[in-house]
Amino acid sequence: MIRVLLADDDPLVRSGLRLMLGGADDIEVVAEAADGSEVAALVDTYAPDLVLMDIRMPTVDGLEATQLLRERPSPPAIVMLTTFQTDEYVLRALQSGAAGFLLKHTAPGEIVAAVRRVAAGEPVLSPAVTQQLITRLTTAPDTGRRAQTLRAREALALLGDREREVAVAVGRGRTNAEIAAELYMGVPTVKAHVSHILTKLGLSNRVQIALTVHDAGEA
């Protein structure tokens, strides 16, 4: 079972998410939080595999709650939820370690599929969020973008040849199975490479690998 914690200040949203996730036989909603300030204690109590986190909450928002969770030794995966297609926190949330970002009006079946993908170690981004991310990366001021590109290229230079190939494939949005087929290696080998990349670059998840690859201009 994939154990899920819902964090949203709107009880109707939480009820809707619980209803749609409850229809899946491999997903269990173990707890609900009405604010980010409640998340840490609920994670301690219920040990969820994944947190569906509203990005805007009244006392502690989803961004701060995500940062606090990511500082823990074995944090759950985090998928951010928002009603805004152009939320100002998108890039910051992903850089903080969120494994995905979905709009609340995403179709129920897609949200269920996203939970399964993140639980399996794959990132998820809605198309609107992906476009916003690309726009932000490509419209950054020249000086800032050059420094960002240099840092990203220096990071990728730390990787071995096969690790770099896997990182670039992750940056292009490929799943482990797709990377295995493209690079003629087994899925366990791909997973091992991804783990090594995360360790070498000091990153939290595949989304951050993808951001580094994009910053380096490799995707």
Side-chain angles (χ1 to χ4, degrees), residues 119-143:
E122 304 285 350
V124 291
L125 294 173
S126 67
V129 169
T130 300
Q131 184 55 53
Q132 183 194 352
L133 178 59
I134 293 171
T135 299
R136 286 192 178 219
L137 290 173
T138 57
T139 58
D142 284 345
T143 53

Side-chain angles (χ1 to χ4, degrees), residues 78-153:
I78 301 165
V79 176
M80 308 300 294
L81 295 169
T82 184
T83 55
F84 303 96
Q85 292 192 10
T86 55
D87 198 295
E88 62 185 17
Y89 292 143
V90 170
L91 187 55
R92 287 176 61 197
L94 296 175
Q95 290 173 328
S96 296
F101 212 109
L102 292 171
L103 301 176
K104 289 184 181 178
H105 60 64
T106 301
E110 293 180 23
I111 290 181
V112 171
V115 167
R116 289 173 175 148
R117 283 190 62 186
V118 171
E122 304 285 350
V124 291
L125 294 173
S126 67
V129 169
T130 300
Q131 184 55 53
Q132 183 194 352
L133 178 59
I134 293 171
T135 299
R136 286 192 178 219
L137 290 173
T138 57
T139 58
D142 284 345
T143 53
R145 189 164 67 247
R146 283 197 297 270
Q148 199 171 29
T149 298
L150 179 60
R151 287 195 298 270
R153 289 177 177 173

Side-chain angles (χ1 to χ4, degrees), residues 34-58:
D35 188 77
S37 60
E38 303 171 6
V39 171
L42 290 173
V43 167
D44 287 339
T45 301
Y46 295 97
D49 301 302
L50 183 146
V51 179
L52 280 177
M53 181 99 72
D54 184 14
I55 201 166
R56 298 193 181 203
M57 291 181 280

